[in-house]
Amino acid sequence: MGTQHVVTMLPGEGTGPEICEAVRLVIDASGVNIKWEYEDIGLDCLEKYGTLLPDKTIQNIAKNKVALKGPTTTPIGTGHKSANVTLRKVFDLYANVRPAKLIPVLKRPWDKIDIINFRENTEDSYAAIEHMVSDEVAQCLKVITWPGSYRIADFAFKWAKANGRKKIYCVHKANIMKMTDGLFLDAFREVAKQHPDIESGDIIVDNCCMQLVRNPAQFDCLVLPNLYGDILTDLCAGLVGGLGFAPGANVGDGCAIFEAVHGSAPKYAGMKKVNPSAVLVSGIMMLRWLKEEAAAARIEKAMFAVLDERKHVTYDVGGTAKTDEYAQAIVDKMHAKA
Amino acid sequence: MPTFTEIAKATKKKREIKLVGVDMYIITEKGTPKFDDIGAFKCEFISNRGTKVWPGFVSPDLLQVNWYRCRFMATKDVQDADINAFLDALTKKGWWWSAAQKLWTYDGEPGFSKAY
């Protein structure tokens, strides 16, 4: 066993706990040495703590600096703040890294998609500054700052360079929102000057959506403000097979939280029916973040093999396997290859 | 024929509006502001880029800019004139502010968001 990593596990609610148990089974079998510390988050916390994100959970993440999170649901219109957004704000997890890469066994109409989206995660319309400014007008402030924009662009260029990527485009609507998106684009261009070895450019968000659907292979890395990033990352996930296989990482300078981006599917809770792949591929991202490349590659290879065989896959990809049976099949595949 | 605006407005429920506070957007290079009570207003929280920076836990890594939203809630029933006096007092104390947003409740429900 190598270096021990201490990781906060946030199972979430609904199907989250059964998904996270399946993922833990696979990760623990990969040879990596992880001590998991479980903490509460999400709807189930409301009755116990009166909040979706208890202080105890915040303190544990602050200590460990890395967490793997299952799905949670934000109640709509109840006044409770989203646990996800609160986590991003409290730990200043400013970079939402959302790769979209074709999984070979999932038949899609494109030959190649390999995009990394870098979504600014803390500003824009998500600054939680909303007012009813009269009894018939609601207003939401879109907050874009130079330091926040500069920081996500800098993060993206450095990540791209470290991972051998060649091209970064800034996605914006600066032709209309000249102050806010204009500032975001200016900061991107300033950072781009420092990285002449990486091709850079910009594209207006609506055109980017059309281009993504028509010819996604043309894109390599995209840097986006929060709202466009929220939408386009799901669009990209849809291109490669849906949210069920979409990993996500929320990264700050002092902390990283890896999570699936789909919901908690409460109607399936306890049925061990859902596909845990999104949390698993997020776990693979986490292992790479922890410099555990061998374990990450082992899991990825075994997962693709199990998906390719289609004997032990979940209902959403045409199988009948339970969540834990799919996970066990991946473990068996890893051991068979060892 | 009523206009579309008239039709739309007719569907809107009449609600009781009450002034309960004011959000102040303050520019300072000196870090998170600190306030004593000003007249009938007490500072409830301060946020920066939408993240609460006072009171409570603040990540040491949190990126902050020179623009703070400071929420002041009324400690008694107040009128618009009290807001005017509050703004005057705040300015005299040397605070530079970019905007003020009155906070109202509508039938008792807040017409304003909390900070994260």
Side-chain angles (χ1 to χ4, degrees):
Chain A
M1 284 287 205
T3 308
Q4 187 183 62
H5 307 282
V6 184
V7 175
T8 305
M9 175 69 96
L10 306 167
E13 82 264 337
T15 54
E18 60 209 73
I19 287 174
C20 287
E21 277 318 291
V23 169
R24 179 181 172 170
L25 178 79
V26 175
I27 292 178
D28 284 348
S30 72
V32 71
N33 183 3
I34 290 180
K35 180 187 174 196
W36 302 96
E37 295 184 346
Y38 281 69
E39 294 292 345
D40 296 326
I41 191 169
L43 281 178
D44 294 347
C45 296
L46 268 183
E47 197 173 316
K48 195 169 167 187
Y49 302 100
T51 172
L52 297 169
L53 181 62
D55 279 347
K56 182 170 172 293
T57 300
I58 292 174
Q59 297 304 332
N60 188 270
I61 298 169
K63 173 176 76 73
N64 294 335
K65 302 188 186 311
V66 60
L68 182 62
K69 181 181 159 298
T72 53
T73 300
T74 303
I76 296 171
T78 62
H80 294 291
K81 293 292 185 186
S82 153
N84 281 342
V85 179
T86 307
L87 273 177
R88 291 170 202 162
K89 296 278 188 184
V90 167
F91 291 106
D92 208 10
L93 306 173
Y94 61 87
N96 180 220
V97 185
R98 291 273 299 271
K101 189 172 181 178
L102 278 180
I103 293 178
V105 297
L106 300 176
K107 299 286 180 265
R108 308 299 294 168
W110 297 279
D111 294 331
K112 175 182 173 283
I113 300 176
D114 186 5
I115 302 167
I116 303 184
N117 290 297
F118 299 94
R119 166 189 170 194
E120 203 291 323
N121 220 7
T122 59
E123 300 190 341
D124 201 343
S125 318
Y126 295 68
I129 306 179
E130 288 192 295
H131 297 93
M132 289 299 298
V133 295
S134 88
D135 63 339
E136 57 186 29
V137 179
Q139 174 182 277
C140 173
L141 286 194
K142 170 174 169 136
V143 178
I144 301 283
T145 72
W146 177 269
S149 305
Y150 191 96
R151 184 171 65 167
I152 187 65
D154 184 65
F155 181 95
F157 275 95
K158 285 175 178 164
W159 180 294
K161 193 170 281 188
N163 290 277
R165 312 297 290 217
K166 305 293 181 202
K167 187 167 67 175
I168 303 187
Y169 270 58
C170 177
V171 183
H172 63 88
K173 190 74 181 170
N175 55 332
I176 303 298
M177 282 166 273
K178 297 177 193 298
M179 298 291 127
T180 48
D181 284 18
L183 190 70
F184 190 83
L185 179 57
D186 284 349
F188 173 86
R189 286 174 171 159
E190 189 65 30
V191 175
K193 283 183 203 164
Q194 299 161 27
H195 300 276
D197 49 331
I198 294 182
E199 181 188 338
S200 65
D202 67 279
I203 183 167
I204 293 174
V205 62
D206 41 334
N207 181 32
C208 187
C209 290
M210 185 188 68
Q211 297 289 341
L212 276 167
V213 173
R214 284 169 61 102
N215 178 20
Q218 68 184 293
F219 294 108
D220 186 356
C221 299
L222 300 175
V223 180
L224 313 99
N226 207 342
L227 181 59
Y228 310 147
D230 195 358
I231 297 165
L232 265 68
T233 51
D234 274 20
L235 190 160
C236 289
L239 292 175
V240 298
L243 295 181
F245 289 90
N250 293 303
V251 184
D253 290 333
C255 182
I257 298 177
F258 298 81
E259 63 173 346
V261 295
H262 59 65
S264 63
K267 68 179 178 181
Y268 294 129
M271 296 166 69
K272 294 191 174 179
K273 185 176 177 174
V274 296
N275 187 342
S277 292
V279 176
L280 184 56
V281 288
S282 302
I284 292 169
M285 272 186 91
M286 181 188 77
L287 292 176
R288 292 196 162 114
W289 177 261
L290 295 170
K291 311 285 185 205
E292 295 286 358
E293 174 59 36
R298 205 173 294 133
I299 296 172
E300 198 167 54
K301 189 174 174 187
M303 187 184 95
F304 287 167
V306 169
L307 285 169
D308 200 28
E309 286 176 1
R310 293 191 181 260
K311 284 187 202 159
H312 302 286
V313 293
T314 48
Y315 78 97
D316 55 307
V317 279
T320 57
K322 300 275 190 189
T323 307
D324 52 347
E325 291 168 347
Y326 170 63
Q328 188 59 51
I330 296 172
V331 171
D332 293 345
K333 190 64 72 179
M334 278 194 286
H335 290 165
K337 297 280 182 189
Chain B
M1 272 296 272
T3 64
F4 184 79
T5 303
E6 288 165 342
I7 293 168
K9 281 178 181 281
T11 62
K12 191 165 64 69
K13 193 180 153 208
K14 188 78 182 164
R15 294 188 292 177
E16 187 190 342
I17 302 174
K18 185 181 180 201
L19 180 65
V20 294
V22 59
D23 274 354
M24 294 302 303
Y25 297 88
I26 286 182
I27 302 167
T28 174
E29 303 291 345
K30 296 177 180 173
T32 306
K34 291 185 176 63
F35 299 102
D36 296 324
D37 293 0
I38 301 173
F41 296 92
K42 185 183 186 66
C43 187
E44 184 181 85
F45 71 76
I46 300 171
S47 68
N48 192 288
R49 297 165 62 249
T51 302
K52 193 168 69 174
V53 293
W54 180 88
F57 174 82
V58 181
S59 166
D61 302 314
L62 184 68
L63 183 148
Q64 296 188 41
V65 291
N66 61 359
W67 186 72
Y68 293 82
R69 173 171 61 151
C70 308
R71 172 156 299 167
F72 290 88
M73 297 302 288
T75 53
K76 60 175 189 178
D77 283 348
V78 288
Q79 309 298 322
D80 281 358
D82 296 303
I83 299 283
N84 294 345
F86 168 80
L87 296 178
D88 192 41
L90 200 71
T91 304
K92 282 182 176 149
K93 285 174 184 285
W95 293 107
W96 186 28
W97 50 275
S98 67
Q101 173 64 57
K102 289 175 186 170
L103 305 177
W104 292 292
T105 57
Y106 295 83
D107 283 350
E109 292 294 317
F112 44 88
S113 57
K114 300 173 189 168
Y116 278 99

